[in-house]
Amino acid sequence: MPTPVKSVLPVVLLGCGGVGRYLLRHIVSCRPLHANQGVSIRVVGVADSSSLLVAEDVHSSGLDDALLTNLCAAKSAGSPLSSLLGQGKYQLFQNPEARSKVIDAATTLGRTTGLVLVDCSATYDTVSLMKDAVDHGCCIVLANKKPLTGAYEDFQKLVSNFRRIRFESTVGAGLPVIASVTRIIASGDPVSRIVGSLSGTLGYVMSELEDGKRFSEVVKTAKSLGYTEPDPRDDLGGMDVARKALILARLLGQQISMDNINVESLYPSELGPDKVSSKDFLESGLGHLDKGMEERVKAASSRGNVLRYVCEIESTGCQVGLKELPKDSALGRLRGSDNVVEIYSRCYESSPLVIQGAGAGNDTTAAGVLADIMDLQDLFQKTA
């Protein structure tokens, strides 16, 4: 006998990039699993940077799985959402009307059946939309770090009803970093310190340097393996790690902004994107960094340590950059592109809670987003 549906979760997805497409594929492939749990995820809208595809009647139906599958294929091929015209029962709206239609859906569903607004984009432009959704009683799920790392007032607004927001995938993809920190805090055990290697790219680079390889060689290999952004300086500058550190620091109650974080870049300003092209940086600029990095690696090794690019969050502040760590520590043993986080508290003072695993990748991140959506199911009831 089929399991009766207990919860229907209407979802509007913002962002059809790698993470967004993997999320839609996961939702479709997990239908049998979720059905056995009495849960149905109804995708009622999908938006990219220019338009919104929305179901004809968001109250009673969503976009069917065949359309979602075709949507993923079209976006993977670089086609716009408008290329799907005629493939199902839906409405298509172009910006700026698309934004107002998302708000319409939030207004319609937020205070009735409920709505989950999922941000898998990579822009600050969704902040106001997210705040409006909160005002309409919607739940929000974030893979996009930027809404949580802008003005502190925006962060406060978004997390004002903590039951209705999930943002696990903003820090460690599918790793339970946010959940672990919030559980420790909820137990009355104050978190005193967090140290983490939160960039799969930089984790790979730093561990490879231990084998005597040149910095420029390792960065180029990381790029060829798809670990880096198209311009590796987006990783080497440390801002992605800084955003993750800021989210964790704010979670601990620190009312700070990005300006309060000391971020060490692995390249000098004279090799920045505003002065040197990506091609010139890779072909000639990187080589100038080899000697300095080699000296730092050897100096650390002479003291029995290794270099890791980490964030450190303490009551006195937050720092992001290279740090010498014992070879036999959890962070020192890190190899490859895994993330590692150490959480220190009263109960975990001498032996920290260590979380390690794949902390990057579209598939892994999307799985974490889906888990966040499912975590909200108790806030939703069956609808027609």
Side-chain angles (χ1 to χ4, degrees):
M1 180 179 295
T3 303
V5 176
K6 296 178 292 185
S7 302
V8 175
L9 285 74
V11 167
V12 170
L13 170 64
L14 307 179
C16 297
V19 174
R21 295 195 297 271
Y22 266 98
L23 173 62
L24 293 177
R25 293 185 185 110
H26 284 323
I27 289 173
V28 171
S29 66
C30 288
R31 292 287 189 207
L33 171 65
H34 294 159
N36 286 336
Q37 299 171 352
V39 179
S40 173
I41 295 177
R42 180 184 292 164
V43 181
V44 299
V46 178
D48 61 13
S49 59
S50 61
S51 54
L52 167 73
L53 201 67
V54 63
E56 279 190 333
D57 184 357
V58 295
H59 282 293
S60 61
S61 63
L63 304 172
D64 66 50
D65 288 353
L67 177 61
L68 294 178
T69 300
N70 291 339
L71 185 156
C72 290
K75 293 301 296 183
S76 295
S79 301
L81 291 179
S82 58
S83 66
L84 299 166
L85 286 173
Q87 294 188 29
K89 295 181 178 180
Y90 60 83
Q91 304 170 77
L92 181 70
F93 301 97
Q94 303 293 332
N95 283 343
E97 187 183 15
R99 185 189 186 283
S100 67
K101 291 301 177 180
V102 174
I103 295 299
D104 287 348
T107 304
T108 301
L109 298 177
R111 300 190 186 281
T112 54
T113 63
L115 175 70
V116 185
L117 190 58
V118 181
D119 187 357
C120 289
S121 70
T123 175
Y124 284 108
D125 295 342
T126 59
V127 175
S128 62
L129 192 58
M130 289 289 161
K131 292 194 294 183
D132 285 343
V134 169
D135 285 336
H136 288 98
C138 298
C139 296
I140 59 175
V141 172
L142 301 169
N144 182 11
K145 294 176 279 293
K146 293 179 179 178
L148 297 175
T149 56
Y152 184 74
E153 293 74 17
D154 291 339
F155 175 85
Q156 281 185 305
K157 174 75 172 181
L158 293 175
V159 303
S160 58
N161 189 336
F162 210 77
R163 292 177 65 238
R164 293 183 175 274
I165 181 173
R166 297 293 184 274
F167 51 99
E168 190 70 75
S169 294
T170 60
V171 172
L175 296 179
V177 178
I178 300 294
S180 299
V181 171
T182 53
R183 283 176 62 86
I184 293 172
I185 293 172
S187 74
D189 182 12
V191 174
S192 58
R193 184 169 179 248
I194 298 175
V195 184
S197 175
L198 293 173
S199 166
T201 302
L202 295 179
Y204 169 82
V205 169
M206 301 318 299
S207 64
E208 288 292 293
L209 291 178
E210 294 172 47
D211 298 333
K213 298 176 182 176
R214 296 192 308 274
F215 181 66
S216 58
E217 172 192 351
V218 173
V219 171
K220 290 175 183 177
T221 300
K223 178 175 169 59
S224 70
L225 291 172
Y227 290 164
T228 74
E229 296 295 327
D231 186 338
R233 286 172 294 188
D234 291 341
D235 301 288
L236 301 177
M239 289 307 297
D240 183 62
V241 176
R243 291 190 186 98
K244 296 174 182 179
L246 180 57
I247 291 171
L248 290 173
R250 287 177 168 179
L251 193 61
L252 298 185
Q254 297 184 22
Q255 298 184 22
I256 64 173
S257 67
M258 196 66 75
D259 293 337
N260 302 119
I261 301 179
N262 183 19
V263 183
E264 177 185 2
S265 173
L266 297 186
Y267 63 87
S269 58
E270 56 265 29
L271 291 178
D274 56 335
K275 297 181 179 179
V276 177
S277 70
S278 177
K279 180 181 178 182
D280 289 342
F281 175 75
L282 285 166
E283 292 181 355
S284 57
L286 261 177
H288 295 295
L289 307 179
D290 287 341
K291 184 177 180 181
M293 189 63 72
E294 181 183 0
E295 290 174 351
R296 294 186 71 171
V297 170
K298 286 182 177 179
S301 181
S302 69
R303 291 183 281 269
N305 296 326
V306 293
L307 280 181
R308 293 290 181 262
Y309 194 93
V310 302
C311 68
E312 291 184 276
I313 305 159
E314 301 176 286
S315 58
T316 54
C318 183
Q319 299 183 66
V320 171
L322 288 177
K323 184 178 178 63
E324 285 191 29
L325 294 164
K327 287 183 178 180
D328 61 352
S329 66
L331 284 156
R333 292 192 299 270
L334 174 66
R335 301 292 298 181
S337 59
D338 274 7
N339 283 186
V340 178
V341 179
E342 297 178 341
I343 304 172
Y344 295 82
S345 67
R346 184 185 68 247
C347 295
Y348 297 101
E349 184 175 0
S350 57
S351 181
L353 174 64
V354 177
I355 303 168
Q356 178 173 354
N362 293 332
D363 193 356
T364 305
T365 304
V369 173
L370 181 55
D372 273 352
I373 295 171
M374 291 294 290
D375 198 39
L376 295 166
Q377 63 181 279
D378 290 343
L379 299 177
F380 293 79
Q381 296 179 345
K382 184 181 183 300
T383 60

